[in-house]
């Protein structure tokens, strides 16, 4: 799929901007909005670890700040600084829950191990989404 390749390339570029002096693990994400706009995100760590933001949420926050609310797919890549991508880098639990605020269970998440993309849905990665009563 051409869009998967483009998103992976964008995520790889975003990874270059990572600020991860504590974990030394650089992550990049590329979020495709329904209007065709691709928004990049990278992880930004902080000495106060609670202030750290993951690449996925970084991309979503940038897109939301630009007024976008409809999303199609996100690509995520990650590996230690200086290393080539060699394993899948799935979103953490907080990012999965965060995505569920804006995306349905059919939202596509493209992971890349350096060789081939693997696509999962948000529902596969977060089967029991937390929702507040009345939000269902």
């Amino acid at each position: 799929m051409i869009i998967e390749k483009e998103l992976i390339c964008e995520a790889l570029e975003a990874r270059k901007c990572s600020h991860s002096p504590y974990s030394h693990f650089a992550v990049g994400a590329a979020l495709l909005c329904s209007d065709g706009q691709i928004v990049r995100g990278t992880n930004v760590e902080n000495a106060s670890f609670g202030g750290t933001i993951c690449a996925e949420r970084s991309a979503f926050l940038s897109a939301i700040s630009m007024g976008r609310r409809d999303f199609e797919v996100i690509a995520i890549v990650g590996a230690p600084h200086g290393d080539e991508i060699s394993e899948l880098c799935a979103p953490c639990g907080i990012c999965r829950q965060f995505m569920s605020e804006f995306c349905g269970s059919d939202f596509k998440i493209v992971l890349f191990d350096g060789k081939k993309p693997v696509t999962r849905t948000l529902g596969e990665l977060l089967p029991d989404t937390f929702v507040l009563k009345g939000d269902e």
Side-chain angles (χ1 to χ4, degrees):
M1 185 169 156
I2 292 174
I3 194 64
E4 281 180 348
K5 290 179 183 177
E6 184 179 354
L7 287 174
I8 290 167
C9 287
E10 292 286 336
L12 289 167
E13 285 299 311
R15 181 176 175 256
K16 293 176 183 177
C17 298
S18 171
H19 175 75
S20 42
Y22 305 103
S23 72
H24 307 288
F25 195 84
V27 182
L31 177 63
L32 177 64
C33 303
S34 59
D35 65 359
Q37 175 82 30
I38 296 173
V39 179
R40 293 179 185 174
T42 192
N43 58 326
V44 179
E45 295 179 351
N46 189 281
S48 171
F49 292 142
T52 293
I53 186 84
C54 298
E56 301 90 315
R57 286 181 287 145
S58 174
F60 270 88
L61 292 172
S62 291
I64 292 162
S65 295
M66 294 186 287
R68 290 174 172 76
R69 296 284 191 281
D70 296 314
F71 309 107
E72 300 287 325
V73 59
I74 191 168
I76 305 162
V77 298
H81 288 183
D83 288 2
E84 295 293 320
I85 304 298
S86 63
E87 295 182 23
L88 299 178
C89 180
C92 74
I94 292 172
C95 287
R96 294 173 197 204
Q97 182 63 41
F98 187 92
M99 287 187 262
S100 76
E101 185 77 16
F102 301 95
C103 305
S105 61
D106 60 342
F107 178 69
K108 293 179 183 70
I109 299 168
V110 177
L111 309 173
F112 184 62
D113 66 2
K115 295 180 182 114
K116 64 177 183 167
V118 175
T119 302
R120 301 279 188 259
T121 64
L122 182 56
E124 289 173 314
L125 295 180
L126 187 66
D128 297 315
T129 305
F130 173 77
V131 288
L132 292 176
K133 274 225 178 284
D135 287 350
E136 300 176 51

